[in-house]
Amino acid sequence: MEMILASAIGVLTAAGVYLLLRLRTFPVILGLAFLSYAVNVFIFASGRLAIDQSPILSRYGEASYTDPLPQALVLTAIVISFGMTAVLVMIGLAAYFEAESDRVDIDQDGDSAEGGK
């Protein structure tokens, strides 16, 4: 289980970094979202993987429980990343309508840094 989770974190991080290096706005936003998901899974996994245990102390029985702090942190991070993704999409749309292109490396004249390509 830990190997699958570590592989998922690695794949999400690699995909996020790859998409961040693109020259278009939408892949950059997706890359940031993938990195956000990778960090969320990492924080969630830091609370130790436990199956069929309550997230708080049980009144009866053993004192085995999962740590609720990473779960609360991930829930908060999901809400914040959703809001920031919405803001980035709106900024990207505004930049697209302003420059009529979604390339990230546009200079003042409207040409790209590659010599007008």
Side-chain angles (χ1 to χ4, degrees):
M1 183 71 163
E2 287 85 6
M3 190 65 171
I4 294 171
L5 202 56
S7 298
I9 293 170
V11 167
L12 284 172
T13 303
V17 170
Y18 176 77
L19 288 173
L20 273 177
L21 297 175
R22 302 294 93 201
L23 295 177
R24 303 279 183 190
T25 305
F26 187 67
V28 170
I29 294 171
L30 279 179
L32 286 172
F34 279 151
L35 281 177
S36 171
Y37 295 148
V39 169
N40 287 343
V41 172
F42 177 73
I43 292 172
F44 189 71
S46 70
R48 283 182 259 129
L49 299 175
I51 298 173
D52 293 334
Q53 292 182 358
S54 61
I56 56 174
L57 290 173
S58 132
R59 180 175 289 184
Y60 307 106
E62 325 179 345
S64 63
Y65 64 95
T66 59
D67 190 10
L69 182 63
Q71 297 173 16
L73 288 173
V74 167
L75 182 62
T76 305
I78 288 170
V79 171
I80 292 171
S81 66
F82 179 74
M84 287 305 299
T85 302
V87 168
L88 286 175
V89 167
M90 293 308 296
I91 290 172
L93 280 174
Y96 174 74
F97 290 137
E98 173 94 15
E100 297 175 355
S101 176
D102 66 340
R103 292 186 62 88
V104 176
D105 62 342
I106 294 179
D107 59 0
Q108 293 294 337
D109 299 331
D111 296 332
S112 69
E114 299 168 351
K117 291 184 180 180

